[in-house]
Amino acid sequence: MPKEQSFAQRLIAWQQAAGRHDLPWQGSRDPYRVWLSEIMLQQTQVATVIPYYQRFLASFPDVGALAAAPIERVVEHWAGLGYYARARNLHRCAQQIVTVHGGFFPKTAAGLAELPGIGRSTAAAIAAFSFGERAAILDGNVKRVLCRVFGIAGFPGATAVDRKLWQLAESLLPETGIEAYTQGLMDLGATLCTRGTPHCPACPFADSCVARREGRQKELPEARPRARVPERRSTFVLITDGTRLLLERRPPNGLWGGLLVPPEGEPDEVLAARGLVTVDCRKLPDLQHAFTHFRLTLAPVLCRVAAPSALAEAGREWLPLATAASAGVPTPIARLIRQVASAPD
């Protein structure tokens, strides 16, 4: 590709020479067919969509037929395609086009975006392919292409990055050839600039792509930042009479269900509720333990008590301090018990 060509010119030339031209919805400016294909292609591979698209058209050949059909029949035709809200929105949209717009699709991206289930990028694609409107698309594939070619850092779903990408997408639009340009973006993201291993040598921007030049193809676009792991903190009271440790069995459901753990709560309240007389209490170093969905900080307090006069109640067990860590307790509790057992008096 000549370097002096603009981004759009190079993309259009590549699409005409190497892009996809035989998809069943191509070659038609019928907004119904374009709309149907765009909705089906959301979150779904082309190979999966094609037979659904063809069966759907056979049963609902136009927007009027779709609007008049029972929703149950529409959903039946969608079965297996997933993301069933798309089917419900498709039906609602068809009814709105018939009742509000007289059976005709709005001819602008702005008008299309007001219909159920049609977002900004999908509206632009329909407007470009059906009416030749010069409108920018920005679906997941396009974001990946732009982030790599232009070296856009940050998670594309972040507000600031998303705004930057929309501005870039709009600035790159060609004066003519919007259909080939739009299809080229889709084709490039789907066939060459793929999520896993991009086929860089065949790309029309191989000589100018920032990600390729810097070896960052797998880093761009940046992944969604991991959500902050919730933090919890709980006080565990390790009660010992010098040779034994009091443990209580957890309810069968919930965290550590059915296991033995020290009582949980404020030391004074815990001891009073169990009728124990305190000899000495001291805090031990906190211990952190990571679960799948949160991180727990265990705040242990070691309390020496006078030997209890009564036998343990149901659900409570006085176990030898030296062996309590192996008595069916959670891993972090075992660590705490070993810490207590090995500590000098």
Side-chain angles (χ1 to χ4, degrees), residues 25 28-42 53 56-57 60-64 66-67 74 78 86-98 105-106 112 115-119 122-123 125-127 129-131:
W25 46 83
S28 171
R29 282 185 170 268
D30 180 357
Y32 175 72
R33 294 179 175 230
V34 174
W35 164 64
L36 178 60
S37 67
E38 289 298 322
I39 299 300
M40 286 189 166
L41 287 167
Q42 293 172 356
Y53 173 82
F56 207 93
L57 269 185
F60 315 110
D62 54 45
V63 70
L66 178 57
V74 176
W78 204 272
R86 292 183 297 170
R88 294 189 292 271
N89 282 331
L90 202 76
H91 191 244
R92 287 177 54 222
C93 185
Q95 292 180 327
Q96 190 165 320
I97 289 170
V98 169
F105 282 77
L112 288 162
L115 294 170
I118 301 182
T122 301
I126 299 169
F129 289 132
S130 301
F131 310 114

Side-chain angles (χ1 to χ4, degrees), residues 282-300:
R282 60 187 172 95
K283 292 183 178 180
L284 299 177
D286 288 353
L287 175 67
Q288 288 195 335
H289 185 75
F291 293 88
T292 305
H293 301 297
F294 71 97
R295 185 163 47 240
L296 175 65
T297 296
L298 295 85

Side-chain angles (χ1 to χ4, degrees), residues 179-199:
E179 297 93 333
Y181 174 80
T182 302
Q183 187 64 53
L185 278 176
M186 295 177 173
D187 292 351
L188 189 62
T191 64
L192 295 185
C193 196
T194 54
R195 182 181 290 109
T197 304
H199 307 284

Side-chain angles (χ1 to χ4, degrees), residues 159-217:
T159 302
V161 181
D162 181 71
R163 186 184 304 115
K164 184 176 183 178
L165 286 170
W166 273 112
Q167 291 171 347
L168 176 60
E170 290 174 345
S171 73
L172 296 171
L173 289 173
E175 293 298 327
T176 60
I178 188 64
E179 297 93 333
Y181 174 80
T182 302
Q183 187 64 53
L185 278 176
M186 295 177 173
D187 292 351
L188 189 62
T191 64
L192 295 185
C193 196
T194 54
R195 182 181 290 109
T197 304
H199 307 284
C200 295
C203 177
F205 305 106
D207 62 346
S208 58
C209 175
V210 173
R212 187 181 190 223
R213 183 172 67 241
E214 298 179 357
R216 300 170 63 201
Q217 296 98 318

